[in-house]
Every structure is written in structure tokens, then in C-alpha cells.
Amino acid sequence: MRRQAEPGSTSSAGEVRSRRLVPGDHPEEACGVFGVLLGSKSSVASFAVFDGLYALQHRGQESAGIAAVHDGRITVVKDLGLVASVFDEATLRSLPGRLAIGHTRYATAGDRSWSNAQPLLHSSDHAEVAVAHNGNLTDGASTTADGARPSDTERIARVVAEALAHAGADTTEVAQAIAGALAELHGAFSLVMTDGRHLIGARDRHGFRPLCVGRLSDGGWVLASETPALDVIGARVERELEPGEVLVIDDHGATQAYIPGSRYQHLCIFEFVYFARPDAKLLGIEVHGARRRMGERLARVAPVEADMVMGVPDSGLPAAEGYALASGIPYGQGLVKNRYIGRTFINPGALQRAHAIRRKLNALEDNVRGKRLIVVDDSVVRGATTRQIVTLLRHAGADAVHLRISSPPYRWPCFYGIDTPSRPELLAARLGEDEIAAELGADSIAYLPLDDLRAAIGLDDGCCDACLTGRYPEVLGETEEAMLGAVGGKLVGSPIRPRSLVAAPGYPERARGEPCTNCSKTGF
């Protein structure tokens, strides 16, 4: 069996170098996960996984990997870098088989090194499993006999492999065994896995991170973090996995099980604000439309006299369009983004960050000179990037720069799969709005209130907003709980609604356990 390609091996994945990301003003997403079981026995799944990961590249740029199954054997190739730099045609052809999973990573926990790239392949005496994981566990891991502390993904792989070793061959037994094993874990996890026989998807009991399922015209199945990854390979979106759901897929169809105990709807609200692609649908809601409505509401609650509304590329653009539409102020472009730079892998420092922003963004002087600008962005975390943007626009001749943020102030760290700094580093945690404007060099700053954010999305409840409110819905480790106690954070929770929480457009909601007429097995 060919194992995970090691650094310096003959894998065509390329040379491995240790790199660091430049921290920005947005919370950084954890990962993208993808998996496919093709219906055609002559097809190669690794090519479909490559396309799916490419569509999820925005969710992680540090590493990419694919685990492919051929003749019951799992082969993993992974490396640091973007999807297109890790995999070429020759590498993909070396991964035969019609069942494969993939992962693209942004590190939120653990060293940013090859060893933490995924999928992770775990073997025991009686079972083997490859795991692609999006999220963070919050119940601290115990150290092993040799003093090592396993990663979250290692912990997940270990409990799943143990469950598989004691499960029978029936998919119902497999699904129930995995669901029981995952009940031991707390925190955020959306998983795409394979044991060499099945394509397996699972979400934590809160549904913090997204995961959806689709069908291919050849009868195959697809799992992905976001719906556009299904679109790009021609799959039809069926639905989103429910919080706490485990889905086991083989050639005979799909079988559900649920993690025992209470389940909740706590999808991360920042999936709508920033993380997800604008063409993604979450909870049946298209993200672009939600962001545009955020801008419309922002214009109503935070008006200001100006000559032009502009957005910070790319995630600030839909909200800027909405702000311009609602305010009647002309919409224009003030910044050009270098779309070929991707993420900048250099050591973080003040000078390097400033240079990184100039490599990524440049001002359109003729468009901004002499104008009072409303600059719309989705969030401000540390403030370094926003400060550089304000400086760029000032140097280009802007008369005034009014910042309008299409989410509430980001005041609390996230422990559920998002890479955010400690609370003292969060600008809004230590400064008021006037102080933030002065710190960033802006004439003013205003944020969208939480009630308006929820209304723009179309939610009464049902999203995790801990980073905005300090109300944490899931168990935390001792370190996190001690930190929360010191700064006033709270643990909260709300029961899941009795009916299915998500249904793709055109698909009716179903009560748990009702058959889906679009799928092959009762209970899916």
C-alpha cells in the first residue's frame, strides 16, 4: 500500500517548505472538505476531487491533499501549497479509483507543517480510515504515554477507526457505530471520510461548519463544504447534512444515523458574512443576496454624506452594492485586487504586512481623488489591513474615508474552527467606535447591529454568534473556560427544532426519519 507521501519523497506533490501566513483583518477559515463516490466504474475520482477542492480554495491555502481508494487500498498524497501547485495531471492519474476524498487547509490549531496536512490516514489492527476535517475540538486531548498530544484529526480518526473495527458490514451498523464514537467528542467538526468501502460524511451536534450532499448523473454521490463545489463537477445539490448527522454511502445508497443526545442549529454566522463563496447556499439561502441585504440595512442604520460607495474586494463588494442601492449614493470601484497573488506566505511583521497589502491591492486614483468615500467591508479584526487600505485611499487623494462594516464588532475569539487572535488583540474588544476610527485613520466607522445582520440573512435564531456576543454554545477546554471566566464570556445552548432545519430549494423539509423521495434509501 502506498502511504502518505512524505516530504522529500518521490511524490510529484513538490518540495516542502515551512511557511507562515500574513495575518489579516478578517477571521481566517479553517478548511474545505470534499468527497466523491462515482457511479461509473471506469472513472477516476481524484480528478473530480481536484475540481472540488479548487472550488473550495478560499477556505484554506496552506495545504491540499487527496485520499483515493483503489482495490480497497487507501493512498494519500498531500503537500503544502495551493491545490493547483500540489496536484498535476500525472499526480492525479497516480491516484486511481472511483472513491476519493480531499482537503484544503488553513491551520487553526497545530503547527503549519506538512505533518498536519490532510487527509489523515489512520490504521489500526482491524480498520483503516482517511479523515478530512473542518473545525476544532474543544475538549482538550489527553497526552499519550510518550507525552505527545494528538491533533484533533488524529483523535477523530482514532475513535472512528475503533468504531469501524467493531462494526459489522451492514451500512446501518457502520453509521450507528460512527455516530456513537463521535458522541465522545465536543467542538466543531464537519468530516468527509473513507474506510476504503464507503464515502462517509458527518457534522457535529451543533452544525458549526457547513457540509452538503449531492448526486451525479451517473448515480454517484458527492459531499462538500459548500454547494459551488458540487456545481463545478456537475452534481445536483440534494441538501445539507443536519447537525449531528452521520451519512454512510456505498453503491447501494446512503444510510443515516445521528449522534446520540441533543442536537442544535449553530451554523457559524460568519459563513454568511465572509467565509462562504457568494454563490454558495447555506440553510437554503444564497450568500450573495444575504450580503447585499446586509449592505442595504447598513445604509439605513449608518447613513453618511458621501460622493461614492465602494467595497473592499472581494467579500465587501455585495454589501457595498446594497449600501449604494439603499442610500442612492453612486457605487464605484476604488481598489483593484491582484487576483494572482493568492495568500502571501511570509513571516508576519508590520513592514511585511504593509508590503503584502500593496502587492494585493492598489487604489484607482482617478476614481477616488477629491471624493468623500464610503468604504464597505465585512469585518475588522486586528485592524492592520484596514489601516493600510485607508492609507492607500488617502494617498490617492480621497477627501474623506467613512468605514461601514456589514457585521457587528468582532469582540471575542472563536474556538470552533476559525483562526482568530486572543481577545486583547481584537480591536473592537478594547476600543469604542470613535477610538477605532482614529486608530484606523478613518473619518468615521459604523457597524451593522446583530438584529439587522440576522434579519438580512433571514434568521430568527440558529447561528453561532459567539465572536460577536461572547455567548459560546459548546463545551470548551479548561484554558478556554478560564479565559472566558476572566472576560465575562458565557456558555449557552438552544435545542434543535424538531423538523429538518435545512432543505435545498425545490426540496421539501422532512421530519427526522422521513424518507427523501430524491434518494434511494428510507431515512436519508
Side-chain angles (χ1 to χ4, degrees):
M1 177 184 298
R2 186 154 65 96
R3 292 290 184 177
Q4 305 174 71
E6 297 284 350
S9 73
T10 57
S11 166
S12 58
E15 181 186 359
V16 177
R17 294 183 294 271
S18 178
R19 296 175 283 192
R20 284 279 179 180
L21 280 173
V22 175
D25 272 355
H26 302 285
E28 299 293 353
E29 180 53 277
C31 305
V33 295
F34 190 87
V36 61
L37 172 62
L38 299 177
S40 172
K41 298 188 185 300
S42 61
S43 300
V44 178
S46 58
F47 285 88
V49 174
F50 173 89
D51 288 338
L53 293 180
Y54 200 86
L56 298 172
Q57 186 73 87
H58 61 288
R59 297 186 73 90
Q61 297 83 27
E62 289 196 3
S63 66
I66 293 175
V69 178
H70 183 58
D71 292 335
R73 297 177 299 175
I74 303 174
T75 298
V76 178
V77 173
K78 59 183 183 178
D79 205 347
L80 297 181
L82 302 176
V83 176
S85 65
V86 173
F87 295 100
D88 56 19
E89 184 175 356
T91 308
L92 295 173
R93 290 195 181 281
S94 74
L95 293 168
R98 60 190 183 93
L99 170 58
I101 67 171
H103 188 271
T104 182
R105 183 174 191 256
Y106 182 89
T108 61
D111 182 35
R112 292 179 169 97
S113 64
W114 179 90
S115 61
N116 284 308
Q118 297 182 38
L120 182 143
L121 183 62
H122 177 84
S123 298
S124 64
D125 292 339
H126 304 289
E128 185 173 59
V129 63
V131 177
H133 170 213
N134 178 17
N136 274 358
L137 300 184
T138 55
D139 48 345
S142 301
T143 56
T144 59
D146 59 0
R149 188 179 295 273
S151 69
D152 290 349
T153 312
E154 288 170 336
R155 292 178 62 200
I156 293 168
R158 191 170 299 163
V159 300
V160 170
E162 185 175 343
L164 290 170
H166 296 92
D170 182 74
T171 54
T172 300
E173 293 184 37
V174 172
Q176 290 175 346
I178 294 172
L182 294 177
E184 303 175 17
L185 306 175
H186 292 276
F189 53 84
S190 280
L191 308 172
V192 173
M193 305 179 284
T194 182
D195 61 351
R197 298 179 298 153
H198 308 95
L199 174 63
I200 304 166
R203 290 181 78 191
D204 64 78
R205 70 188 80 234
H206 291 264
F208 286 118
R209 309 260 64 86
L211 190 63
C212 60
V213 60
R215 298 297 306 271
L216 290 161
S217 59
D218 68 355
W221 296 81
V222 189
L223 295 168
S225 294
E226 296 180 26
T227 56
L230 274 61
D231 298 334
V232 78
I233 67 165
R236 180 183 73 248
V237 179
E238 292 286 328
R239 63 181 181 86
E240 298 172 53
L241 270 68
E242 298 176 31
E245 181 180 356
V246 173
L247 192 65
V248 177
I249 301 168
D250 62 13
D251 287 331
H252 302 291
T255 302
Q256 280 174 308
Y258 291 89
I259 295 174
S262 299
R263 299 183 297 123
Y264 310 86
Q265 178 55 275
H266 287 136
L267 177 68
C268 172
I269 203 166
F270 256 77
E271 292 286 351
F272 289 99
V273 173
Y274 173 65
F275 298 132
R277 283 176 46 149
D279 51 343
K281 289 185 177 178
L282 301 169
L283 305 180
I285 302 165
E286 187 174 75
V287 170
H288 180 273
R291 290 175 183 167
R292 189 179 62 249
R293 292 188 294 273
M294 294 173 201
E296 292 171 359
R297 287 183 168 268
L298 185 58
R300 297 185 187 108
V301 301
V304 64
E305 291 187 5
D307 304 305
M308 186 176 86
V309 179
M310 56 168 283
V312 175
D314 285 314
S315 54
L317 299 181
E321 293 172 7
Y323 194 107
L325 180 66
S327 67
I329 300 171
Y331 173 82
Q333 295 194 23
L335 293 168
V336 173
K337 181 179 179 180
N338 182 346
R339 301 188 182 279
Y340 301 98
I341 191 171
R343 294 295 178 111
T344 308
F345 293 92
I346 57 176
N347 291 321
L351 181 60
Q352 292 95 329
R353 284 196 294 270
H355 289 166
I357 295 304
R358 288 193 172 275
R359 282 194 292 269
K360 188 174 184 179
L361 295 171
N362 201 22
L364 293 169
E365 291 190 10
D366 289 349
N367 266 19
V368 305
R369 186 182 298 113
K371 292 181 180 177
R372 298 167 298 171
L373 303 176
I374 295 172
V375 180
V376 181
D377 204 357
D378 56 82
S379 59
V380 177
V381 179
R382 298 172 179 89
T385 300
T386 306
R387 188 182 303 110
Q388 289 295 323
I389 289 171
V390 173
T391 300
L392 278 176
L393 296 171
R394 297 278 195 200
H395 287 170
D399 274 359
V401 178
H402 298 281
L403 295 173
R404 293 296 180 266
I405 309 302
S406 59
S407 63
Y410 199 109
R411 292 193 172 109
W412 302 83
C414 175
F415 305 112
Y416 305 130
I418 306 304
D419 185 24
T420 50
S422 62
R423 193 159 191 254
E425 296 176 85
L426 299 173
L427 201 63
R430 54 187 176 84
L431 300 176
E433 289 189 9
D434 290 343
E435 295 170 306
I436 292 173
E439 178 81 9
L440 300 177
D443 292 271
S444 70
I445 189 170
Y447 295 86
L448 185 67
L450 182 58
D451 288 346
D452 286 275
L453 174 59
R454 288 186 172 279
I457 297 170
L459 298 171
D460 294 328
D461 200 356
C463 273
C464 177
D465 55 18
C467 58
L468 309 175
T469 64
R471 292 167 57 86
Y472 292 82
E474 171 63 304
V475 170
L476 300 176
E478 292 182 3
T479 301
E480 291 86 353
E481 287 188 0
M483 186 278 292
L484 287 184
V487 297
K490 300 177 180 179
L491 287 171
V492 299
S494 58
I496 195 168
R497 297 173 184 174
R499 293 188 62 81
S500 172
L501 290 161
V502 289
Y507 295 87
E509 287 195 350
R510 297 175 290 112
R512 174 176 166 180
E514 287 181 0
C516 174
T517 56
N518 300 290
C519 307
S520 60
K521 281 198 176 183
T522 298
F524 169 61

